[in-house]
Amino acid sequence: MGTDTVMSGRVRKDLSKTNPNGNIPENRSNSRKKIQRRSKKTLICPVQKLFDTCKKVFADGKSGTVPSQENIEMLRAVLDEIKPEDVGVNPKMSYFRSTVTGRSPLVTYLHIYACHRFSICIFCLPPSGVIPLHNHPEMTVFSKLLFGTMHIKSYDWVPDSPQPSSDTRLAKVKVDSDFTAPCDTSILYPADGGNMHCFTAKTACAVLDVIGPPYSDPAGRHCTYYFDYPFSSFSGIVFETFSMICVRI
Ligand SMILES: [Fe+2]
């Protein structure tokens, strides 16, 4: 993805007209600068706008840094405006068809952009497609459902809770609901908002994800998958307000 602002071909062509010295006459130059400014305002494509906004919002790029509330709202507003056609996906594409029987349908990852500060991608899920329960260590994640109906179940760790065993930890449910596009962009944070989540497609779905900072093994931000077990599976432990135990795979 480039960093240049997108402009119309017509404006570019007009700006190429110069006087015999190779310069644009001053009065024409001024009016064309106005056109240029207006064009930059009105013709920036949604993906370019998303990219430019991410550069501002994730300027820090450090593990665990949560953007300011102002920046979060700015990015959320940009994502709320994005439509499937802006990123070139629609439910008729082959990514959203189930081609394998007897197994969970394949989920396709479409890469848009990644740097050390943030990443932008799209997950394409056929009906019944599942992205298993996984975490986002030290990250802030914006998920925009572009189309379809998706069940999202998410959890946060319960801090300072006793561990039932060496490989289990107590987690509490944050979200357990169906979402149908168009709907609000969901946001999760390093320690809350449902940092571990599982997506199950009720229909063909596309999810635009913005992650800052992105997964990085060298930086210690590994993706870990989990099994979740009903709390009642662990006898002898009584935490009535929490509903699940998560087990690291
Ligand atoms: Fe995720």
Side-chain angles (χ1 to χ4, degrees):
M1 178 183 301
T3 57
D4 293 333
T5 301
V6 177
M7 294 175 58
S8 76
R10 186 177 65 79
V11 173
R12 279 184 189 281
K13 190 177 173 187
D14 286 345
L15 289 172
S16 70
K17 290 178 185 169
T18 59
N19 65 20
N21 299 324
N23 301 319
I24 299 171
E26 193 174 341
N27 58 346
R28 288 172 59 195
S29 170
N30 286 342
S31 65
R32 278 163 196 167
K33 279 178 185 167
K34 283 179 191 167
I35 292 170
Q36 189 176 2
R37 277 198 295 272
R38 194 158 56 237
S39 299
K40 278 182 179 176
K41 259 186 185 173
T42 57
L43 296 176
I44 294 175
C45 78
V47 175
Q48 178 78 56
K49 193 171 175 185
L50 174 62
F51 174 70
D52 292 342
T53 306
C54 285
K55 281 204 298 182
K56 287 181 201 155
V57 170
F58 297 113
D60 180 289
K62 292 185 182 144
S63 287
T65 299
V66 176
S68 68
Q69 195 57 39
E70 184 185 358
N71 280 341
I72 284 171
E73 293 307 325
M74 180 168 63
L75 182 49
R76 188 208 300 263
V78 171
L79 283 164
D80 282 344
E81 292 296 311
I82 290 187
K83 298 176 178 55
E85 55 268 32
D86 295 329
V87 288
V89 293
N90 69 69
K92 292 182 179 167
M93 296 169 84
S94 59
Y95 303 133
F96 303 101
R97 267 181 244 129
S98 295
T99 53
V100 182
T101 54
R103 288 170 50 191
S104 184
L106 292 175
V107 174
T108 304
Y109 171 91
L110 300 179
H111 175 83
I112 295 180
Y113 178 83
C115 64
H116 71 282
R117 293 179 296 161
F118 64 92
S119 63
I120 305 172
C121 68
I122 299 170
F123 290 99
C124 305
L125 295 88
S128 304
V130 175
I131 299 178
L133 185 61
H134 62 282
N135 68 339
H136 305 83
E138 308 293 312
M139 304 170 187
T140 302
V141 181
F142 295 70
S143 296
K144 157 82 177 177
L145 185 61
L146 294 166
F147 59 77
T149 297
M150 173 91 80
H151 186 86
I152 299 178
K153 189 162 192 180
S154 68
Y155 304 86
D156 288 311
W157 295 122
V158 177
D160 304 321
S161 62
Q163 285 188 232
S165 64
S166 61
D167 62 353
T168 60
R169 282 184 69 186
L170 195 63
K172 59 183 172 183
V173 176
K174 177 70 180 180
V175 175
D176 189 7
S177 304
D178 287 349
F179 295 83
T180 299
C183 56
D184 291 343
T185 297
S186 63
I187 307 172
L188 63 83
Y189 304 94
D192 56 35
N195 187 277
M196 295 167 283
H197 63 192
C198 171
F199 291 166
T200 305
K202 298 285 191 176
T203 66
C205 290
V207 186
L208 175 61
D209 257 14
V210 175
I211 304 176
Y215 289 108
S216 166
D217 287 334
R221 297 189 299 271
H222 317 289
C223 184
T224 303
Y225 290 89
Y226 300 90
F227 290 121
D228 53 352
Y229 292 94
F231 177 74
S232 57
S233 302
F234 295 81
S235 59
I237 305 169
V238 180
F239 292 110
E240 291 181 358
T241 53
F242 305 129
S243 56
M244 288 287 179
I245 296 283
C246 287
V247 179
R248 190 170 183 156
I249 298 175

